[in-house]
Amino acid sequence: MNLNRWIVSLLMLIFATCTYADEVAKLRAALANAKGAERLNILGKLFDLSYETDDIDYQIRCVNDMIAEAHRQGNKKEEGDARVAKMTLFFNSELNDSIYEQVPPLLELLRDIKEWKNYYETWSLLVNTYNFTGQTNTGLKEVQAMYDDARKRDNQYGMGMAYYAMGIGYANMNNYDEAADSYEKSIRLLLKEEPVPMQLSDIFAYYSDALEAKHDYQRMGQVTSQWSDFLTAYYQKKEHANESEVANRWAYYYLARAQAALGLDSLEQASEMLNEVKKRCYSEESFLNMMWLYYRAELSRKQQLYDEALAFNNLRMKLLMATDDKSELIRVRQQRARIYEALGRYKEAAQLYNEMYTINDSINTHDTKRQLTEMNTLFHVDELKMQQAEEKARQQRIGIILIASIIVVALVIFIYFRMRSAKRLKTAHEKLEEAHGKLEKTHQDLLTAYDQLEETTAAKERIESDLRIARNIQMSMVPSTFPERPDIDLYASMTPAKEVGGDLYGYHLIDDQLYVCLGDVSGKGVPASLFMAQATRLFRTLAAQRMMPADICTSINNALGGEDNEQGMFVTMFIGLVDLKTGHLHFCNAGHNPPVLIKNGAAEFIEMVPNAPIGLWAGMEYEGEEIDDISNQPLFIYTDGLNEAENKEQEQFTDERLLEILKDTPFESSRQTIELLKSEVEKHRDGAEPNDDLTMLCLKVVRSEK
């Protein structure tokens, strides 16, 4: 039976692929003779078809074609629509830096042509990018500005989208009461729009999640009924709806109904709803299927089918291992612990609870405190200090009660000893006074210690907040998007070992001249990150002046190696300049690891002049070198966080292993090369903490053979 299903699926895939290719070919042929609005229409269809592939680069090319054609025709509305589609593509692909850079000018364009729906939809993409990248404070400030703008224009759609984004921000801070309230207001406003926007389906899903977090299952049932009415009406009006989109929307609706039924212990209904969800899961690794596995395990657990529940939980856990979602990891492990308890496997359940405690403590340290601090900053309410003040007052009340209790006991003792003898009364009284003095001193010491603890806690939280901000600033200084040109394949990655690091990389493209740099600052932490920021800024400034790599190294060294460098910090750097037309490489290596050049199945370190690291001695002249042609030969540059990465036995990754991997692995792309090496380093560490920052850059000049 499974073989038959596999064959049918394969035949369907082949048919779909052929149909897709034929349709694209027809549209490309029609495009050659099309003009004006017809040309834009064909380009739009090609962009829609591009979603049938998983090639993000191809999708971006298609939408860029639409933008360029609309701009050429002077059609600002079509250009605005295409640019909004591009921002949606960036959002779905998590190209966050591109969103931060391109949304503000797009908002100006849309405001000028009064395209208000696109205007607020684009603004909400920016807000939700802040929300989903942990910048909740910034997101809430931005959404407040968005709401005020929409209210000033009396734009119901804008206010509805603002409430939607506001709900996501509150949910990220686990404030589900405010989140649910925001989602409800958003739905109420957007249902009045004509046509009703498709985003409502997502809002219903988020609203249901918030209600589940509140355990308000009765309200969930009412919301899903409203959700069903919306989906039915929407798809009745929409012609030629995408089948996979329709199935996916209904799947999330059925999932919410299953969640509500499980919460109300309506197990038969929950089973029916989960069966409907499973019918619409097209991939075993999809998020929808992962959610189905979790709730299917929960259903089996409530049905007391514990072995079956454990089997579903095992499948969910296996898929979860490939992600870094700590909150979901806690939830799945908590379910597993409950199953173990029901099976009488208490030791394993206890071990899971201990692991969850460790993970949850980490989340509280890095997320909960951050979110609370951001909310305090936004609303000028220092809730943490209020809680600490309440705790301090509670401690003082306990101290007062303790003292009062001792006084009562002392009085009883006093009366007792007075009845026995005056002499014994005097002795007891003296001892009581002494004990009372010690108690007062102990109480005062406790208050002092508590004040010190309060100050230490506040300072620690400020440091954590500052380090988080410093990390965000540092990561924003290195590029996360790379040139989209057929003659260059460039990709880079930086993974700091601590909150902030001292590695750096960058590139600067001027016409057909590409500058690249990669460096490693001595030391770790905040001082290294500040030195890294200076070196990065100087590279960009000097590269923009079209200086040669050796001259850039000399200038940076003179700037960083003066008398102000009292700490004696330095940075090793490799700076290269490639002519994309000829493949000619000028470079200067300032004390850095030798890059690897991959040619004809061989991987070898480049032999170079031993220039000194930058920053040690001002006034030095750096010597440059060159290679005539590196066309079609991948160039791999890295920091020693790669070859010197250590496992728990302090064994290093080694240069030899690096060369072996690059030699034995066929080159597919620069990104694939870097992701492969990052994975190999993780395997080598085998759970050991990173001992250094890991930064890599891979470059290939693509030239056709003549």
Side-chain angles (χ1 to χ4, degrees), residues 8-25:
V8 171
S9 299
L10 180 60
L11 290 173
M12 291 177 65
L13 177 62
I14 294 172
F15 175 76
T17 303
C18 294
T19 303
Y20 167 77
D22 289 344
E23 185 67 20
V24 169

Side-chain angles (χ1 to χ4, degrees), residues 292-450:
W292 179 85
L293 285 170
Y294 174 83
Y295 288 107
R296 189 62 185 81
E298 196 65 9
L299 174 62
S300 297
R301 187 183 68 83
K302 289 199 169 193
Q303 292 172 330
Q304 300 183 7
L305 303 174
Y306 301 118
D307 289 328
E308 182 179 284
L310 187 59
F312 283 118
N313 182 273
N314 282 336
L315 291 172
R316 177 67 185 98
M317 185 70 77
K318 187 181 298 184
L319 293 171
L320 187 60
M321 288 301 121
T323 72
D324 58 355
D325 190 339
K326 290 185 178 180
S327 59
E328 183 65 12
L329 184 62
I330 289 175
R331 189 168 79 133
V332 175
R333 289 195 177 193
Q334 189 175 46
Q335 181 187 69
R336 191 181 191 86
R338 288 198 295 262
I339 296 170
Y340 277 153
E341 286 185 81
L343 290 169
R345 295 164 63 173
Y346 301 112
K347 183 177 180 180
E348 292 165 287
Q351 182 180 353
L352 278 173
Y353 281 122
N354 182 60
E355 292 174 0
M356 283 186 284
Y357 175 81
T358 302
I359 297 172
N360 196 45
D361 183 62
S362 172
I363 293 176
N364 288 336
T365 300
H366 295 94
D367 293 328
T368 306
K369 291 180 181 178
R370 168 183 59 75
Q371 293 169 349
L372 182 58
T373 301
E374 289 180 331
M375 283 301 292
N376 290 340
T377 303
L378 181 62
F379 296 110
H380 308 288
V381 178
D382 197 338
E383 297 179 9
L384 183 58
K385 290 185 178 178
M386 291 171 60
Q387 293 172 0
Q388 291 173 338
E390 291 174 1
E391 179 65 16
K392 183 176 179 180
R394 188 178 71 84
Q395 293 288 350
Q396 290 174 337
R397 288 197 297 272
I398 292 173
I400 292 170
I401 293 170
L402 180 61
I403 293 170
S405 300
I406 292 173
I407 292 172
V408 171
V409 172
L411 288 172
V412 173
I413 295 173
F414 177 81
I415 294 171
Y416 174 78
F417 280 99
R418 186 173 184 178
M419 292 174 62
R420 294 292 300 268
S421 70
K423 183 177 180 180
R424 294 177 66 184
L425 175 61
K426 182 179 179 180
T427 302
H429 181 71
E430 290 173 350
K431 290 182 177 179
L432 179 61
E433 287 294 324
E434 183 181 355
H436 187 270
K438 290 181 179 179
L439 180 62
E440 286 287 352
K441 186 176 183 304
T442 301
H443 177 66
Q444 190 60 42
D445 290 344
L446 285 172
L447 289 177
T448 302
Y450 184 83

Side-chain angles (χ1 to χ4, degrees), residues 192-215:
K192 298 176 183 178
E193 289 294 299
E194 188 59 44
V196 180
M198 188 64 245
Q199 287 95 332
L200 267 171
S201 184
D202 296 330
I203 302 172
F204 276 117
Y206 283 119
Y207 190 12
S208 297
D209 288 340
L211 292 173
E212 185 190 28
K214 294 175 60 180
H215 305 295

Side-chain angles (χ1 to χ4, degrees), residues 498-691:
K498 305 296 182 183
E499 286 83 358
V500 291
D503 280 4
L504 62 100
Y505 72 84
Y507 74 86
H508 192 74
L509 182 59
I510 308 175
D511 300 324
D512 294 315
Q513 303 294 308
L514 174 67
Y515 287 85
V516 294
C517 81
L518 186 140
D520 185 0
V521 178
S522 60
K524 301 288 185 294
V526 174
S529 70
L530 294 174
F531 206 80
M532 164 266 188
Q534 289 181 291
T536 303
R537 176 180 56 81
L538 287 168
F539 163 75
R540 290 175 180 168
T541 302
L542 298 171
Q545 298 174 24
R546 296 179 179 263
M547 295 176 64
M548 296 300 290
D551 296 331
I552 293 176
C553 288
T554 300
S555 297
I556 296 177
N557 181 63
N558 290 335
L560 299 182
E563 296 179 356
D564 293 338
N565 187 10
E566 296 178 356
Q567 303 298 321
M569 298 190 71
F570 61 89
V571 55
T572 66
M573 287 187 78
F574 177 93
I575 299 179
L577 169 60
V578 188
D579 187 324
L580 300 182
K581 288 184 176 180
T582 65
H584 190 277
L585 170 67
H586 285 281
F587 68 93
C588 181
N589 190 48
H592 197 73
N593 302 72
V596 180
L597 193 61
I598 306 168
K599 181 178 181 181
N600 299 329
E604 297 178 352
F605 293 115
I606 299 176
E607 295 184 5
M608 297 174 298
V609 172
N611 287 303
I614 290 173
L616 289 178
W617 304 286
M620 288 185 56
E621 290 292 328
Y622 282 75
E623 184 176 350
E625 300 174 78
E626 56 187 309
I627 298 176
D628 288 337
D629 190 2
I630 64 166
S631 299
N632 302 317
Q633 303 170 43
L635 177 66
F636 180 74
I637 318 168
Y638 59 96
T639 61
D640 54 16
L642 172 61
N643 57 325
E644 295 179 7
E646 295 179 348
N647 58 19
K648 295 178 181 178
E649 288 73 36
Q650 296 186 325
E651 297 169 332
Q652 293 190 348
F653 190 79
T654 73
D655 292 338
E656 292 74 19
R657 187 170 181 182
L658 168 61
L659 290 178
E660 182 181 354
I661 292 172
L662 292 175
K663 176 174 68 69
D664 294 342
T665 306
F667 181 89
E668 296 179 10
S669 69
S670 293
R671 180 168 187 163
Q672 175 266 344
T673 299
I674 287 177
E675 295 295 345
L676 169 66
L677 284 165
K678 191 183 296 185
S679 175
E680 289 296 326
V681 169
E682 287 298 320
K683 290 179 185 177
H684 173 73
R685 286 198 186 113
D686 194 24
E689 288 293 322
N691 57 306

Side-chain angles (χ1 to χ4, degrees), residues 253-294:
Y253 157 76
Y254 285 119
L255 183 64
R257 286 197 59 186
Q259 293 169 323
L262 281 169
L264 296 171
D265 290 327
S266 302
L267 303 187
E268 185 175 345
Q269 184 185 31
S271 178
E272 292 176 5
M273 295 300 100
L274 287 172
N275 288 339
E276 293 296 329
V277 174
K278 188 61 177 175
K279 291 177 185 177
R280 294 162 174 81
C281 286
Y282 288 104
S283 168
E284 295 297 318
E285 297 181 356
S286 68
F287 177 76
L288 189 62
N289 188 63
M290 293 181 190
M291 297 293 288
W292 179 85
L293 285 170
Y294 174 83

